[in-house]
Amino acid sequence: MAIAEVSEYEDADADALTIGRRIRQLRTERGMTLEQLAGAVERAPSQLSMIETGKREPKLTLLRAIAKALGTSIDALLEAEPLDERAALEIGLERAMKGQTFRALGIPPFRIGKTIPDDALRTMLALQAEIERLRDERAATPEEARRANVDLRHLMREQKNYFGDLENQAGKILDAVGHPGGPLTQRTASDIAAHLGFTLHYVADLPQTTRSVADLRNGRLYLSSRLSAKGDPRTAVLQALSSRILGHTEPRSYAEFLRQRVETNYLTGALLIPEGHAVPFLQEAKANRAISIEDLRDAYSVSYETAAHRFTNLASVHLGIPVHFLKVHESGTITKAYENDDVNFPTDRLGSIEGQMCCRRWTSRVVFDEDDRFNPYYQYTDTGNGTYWCTARVEHSSEGAHSVSVGVRFDDTKWFLGRDTTNRGVSKHSVEVCCRRAPAELEAAWRENAWPNVRTPRTLLATLPTGSFPGVDSTEVYEFLQAHAPA
């Protein structure tokens, strides 16, 4: 923290607590009473007591005087870490008492006296952490996840899926490593890691619940040595580094976890397909009426899904084209969705799209029946909300086949390759008879003579994975870091 920023803390209470404890510890080490220090800096003892307990933020002039009286520097007083474990425990409990958990339980703040044993402080902090864990576990239900996802999708629609601050972050990083444009190489990804103070380490025993593990203490980023066989090795590196670039901290809610994941994926896409180079490329394609997701994919050597996602970031703001995006599992379940072109996606009562069944008449479902997987599939679909044109491809992963599709309103089809397709469909998924209900003749013949054994999705009845980072086995991660840390 710069000296000029002493009175402009982002978290004034936390900084004031740390500074106050350092002042008290340094005063005690030097054998000074509160009255003696107060006299040396010409302040009342009560005023210094408020500073030492973190209840008042010291001004720069007073900090200079205190540092001089204690025979130290301002930098020493502004150290982020406490001087010893006792101070760390006191600061942790002070912060906890000002937090939501203590307030919700109706526990009033109290003075942490010197006579309170360290073990008592540790116990209170452990209890507070366990209460927060249980509260998060109760909140981590499928309904909570759907609500968070709906809120996030509304934000993305409001901003046309474009986040200027993330684009700026990507531009600064690429400028710092001298990236000239075009496909981002694996070497450049390593240069970005070095620029951020990390070395890359590929290991065979990466915890199964993780894509990467960052050792923040030693500046080491661990990735699976089997990455190259599974997919683009650049993506895992950039996703891990994006969290560091964005300064993400431990998520406090599932909504924050989702937001961080979206920001990480967005920044990764912006690094792989830089705005400054991709926008002229797309604008030229629009001028030639030849926009193609495949061409964007090939120009930057990325997956079709990455190119499709990135197109939705740039299309509305830079090309003036509203779009929609869908990722659909081979079972018909929608796993990802975005729209700002008024397409009528199926939703549940909360407004959530993810988890709903995609209409079998849509491009995203029809493409699974196509034998030609080399060329893109195009289709016009008449809906109750107008006619839409979509382009789609099928990609495979460990979770099975997925279709990835990008679509636009009929009026915007003129800018795209594939607009001359003769494939047409009619979807009225808002009407039950469209595809969610079997044809009357089939239903009459089989409804009383069929009994399928339902394959219940694992997540239907279970709560979402809990923990600081949902789905991650923390113990496994910590044991991994301990085993791989430099001696």
Side-chain angles (χ1 to χ4, degrees):
M1 182 186 301
I3 293 176
E5 296 173 342
V6 170
S7 60
E8 299 176 359
Y9 314 123
E10 278 188 31
D11 185 351
D13 288 335
D15 284 334
L17 277 171
T18 306
I19 293 171
R21 289 300 191 279
R22 294 188 72 83
I23 291 173
R24 186 174 71 183
Q25 285 189 301
L26 289 170
R27 173 179 62 78
T28 302
E29 287 177 1
R30 284 152 177 73
M32 296 179 70
T33 64
L34 188 64
E35 290 73 15
Q36 288 172 330
L37 180 58
V41 298
E42 300 180 349
R43 293 290 192 279
S46 59
Q47 184 178 353
L48 277 191
S49 178
M50 294 282 283
I51 291 173
E52 287 192 354
T53 55
K55 296 177 181 178
R56 178 173 296 178
E57 180 185 335
K59 301 298 183 182
L60 180 59
T61 52
L62 180 55
L63 271 180
R64 285 200 184 102
I66 292 173
K68 183 178 180 181
L70 294 175
T72 188
S73 64
I74 289 184
D75 287 342
L77 297 183
L78 296 180
E79 285 288 336
E81 295 298 324
L83 288 176
D84 58 25
E85 183 187 8
R86 172 71 186 199
L89 291 171
E90 291 183 3
I91 291 171
L93 189 55
E94 287 274 8
R95 291 172 177 168
M97 286 191 290
K98 296 179 181 181
Q100 181 181 359
T101 300
F102 268 67
R103 291 199 302 269
L105 294 173
I107 301 176
F110 54 87
R111 180 177 176 274
I112 304 174
K114 295 180 180 179
T115 57
I116 298 179
D118 290 0
D119 286 344
L121 299 181
R122 293 190 189 95
T123 300
M124 284 186 275
L125 285 171
L127 286 172
Q128 186 256 355
E130 180 62 12
I131 291 171
E132 289 193 346
R133 187 191 69 80
L134 292 172
R135 183 190 64 193
D136 290 343
E137 185 171 319
R138 285 197 299 269
T141 63
E143 181 171 327
E144 176 68 18
R146 291 198 299 273
R147 290 185 188 278
N149 222 16
V150 170
D151 292 342
L152 185 56
R153 182 161 46 81
H154 287 166
L155 173 65
M156 294 165 68
R157 184 190 296 132
E158 288 171 7
Q159 300 198 191
K160 299 179 180 178
N161 205 21
Y162 178 85
F163 294 84
D165 54 336
L166 299 181
E167 300 286 355
N168 292 333
Q169 291 269 29
K172 291 177 182 178
I173 291 295
L174 293 173
D175 287 343
V177 297
H179 180 55
L184 186 140
T185 64
Q186 181 68 24
R187 180 183 293 275
T188 304
S190 298
D191 290 342
I192 294 174
H195 173 72
L196 297 172
F198 285 91
T199 54
L200 303 182
H201 302 266
Y202 294 88
V203 296
D205 60 339
L206 193 74
Q208 290 186 353
T209 55
T210 66
R211 294 177 180 175
S212 64
V213 176
D215 180 347
L216 305 183
R217 179 188 300 167
N218 299 298
R220 295 159 71 93
L221 179 59
Y222 296 100
L223 303 112
S224 173
S225 57
R226 295 184 288 271
L227 261 177
S228 57
K230 291 183 177 180
D232 188 344
R234 300 170 303 171
T235 301
V237 174
L238 295 177
Q239 284 178 335
L241 296 175
S242 291
S243 292
R244 298 297 90 216
I245 295 170
L246 296 170
H248 285 162
T249 57
E250 185 175 305
R252 293 165 293 182
S253 65
Y254 196 79
E256 186 175 353
F257 169 75
L258 285 180
R259 175 63 183 264
Q260 288 183 2
R261 188 174 66 173
V262 167
E263 290 177 344
T264 295
N265 290 336
Y266 190 111
L267 185 56
T268 298
L271 290 169
L272 288 168
I273 307 178
E275 179 182 31
H277 307 98
V279 169
F281 175 87
L282 291 171
Q283 288 173 336
E284 181 180 359
K286 182 184 178 184
N288 294 329
R289 297 180 179 241
I291 296 175
S292 166
I293 305 301
E294 283 78 11
D295 288 350
L296 184 63
R297 173 201 63 189
D298 296 341
Y300 292 93
S301 300
V302 295
S303 69
Y304 185 85
E305 183 176 351
T306 296
H309 269 299
R310 192 66 178 129
F311 182 76
T312 68
N313 299 148
L314 305 174
S316 298
V317 171
H318 292 292
L319 305 178
I321 302 176
V323 296
H324 67 263
F325 167 93
L326 267 182
K327 183 175 181 180
V328 177
H329 187 258
E330 58 187 334
S331 64
T333 306
I334 298 173
T335 58
K336 290 183 183 179
Y338 165 77
E339 58 81 19
N340 70 339
D341 59 359
D342 299 322
V343 68
N344 188 12
F345 284 146
T347 62
D348 64 10
R349 62 183 180 82
L350 299 175
S352 177
I353 299 170
E354 289 78 7
Q356 299 302 298
M357 292 297 291
C358 179
C359 177
R360 64 175 65 245
R361 313 279 191 255
W362 282 8
T363 311
S364 305
R365 293 285 299 278
V366 176
V367 68
F368 285 111
D369 298 325
E370 292 296 308
D371 294 329
D372 182 1
R373 296 293 172 89
F374 181 78
N375 294 302
Y377 177 75
Y378 307 110
Q379 178 180 305
Y380 288 97
T381 307
D382 299 323
T383 74
N385 212 32
T387 298
Y388 290 85
W389 171 93
C390 293
T391 175
R393 274 194 177 276
V394 174
E395 295 190 327
H396 295 268
S397 70
S398 59
E399 298 174 352
H402 286 83
S403 70
V404 176
S405 61
V406 174
V408 297
R409 294 186 292 221
F410 179 84
D411 291 345
D412 289 314
T413 307
K414 59 181 177 286
W415 309 117
F416 291 81
L417 291 178
R419 59 185 176 273
D420 56 351
T421 181
T422 57
N423 299 320
R424 296 196 74 94
V426 178
S427 169
K428 296 180 180 179
H429 69 269
S430 58
V431 180
E432 187 176 9
V433 295
C434 173
C435 68
R436 287 180 291 169
R437 185 170 179 176
E441 185 177 347
L442 278 175
E443 184 171 14
W446 290 104
R447 182 162 185 174
E448 301 299 328
N449 299 291
W451 188 265
N453 186 12
V454 179
R455 181 179 179 181
T456 306
R458 180 180 57 82
T459 57
L460 182 63
L461 301 177
T463 58
L464 294 166
T466 58
S468 301
F469 298 93
V472 172
D473 186 331
S474 299
T475 301
E476 187 180 17
V477 170
Y478 300 151
E479 288 176 347
F480 168 84
L481 288 173
Q482 184 69 23
H484 285 270

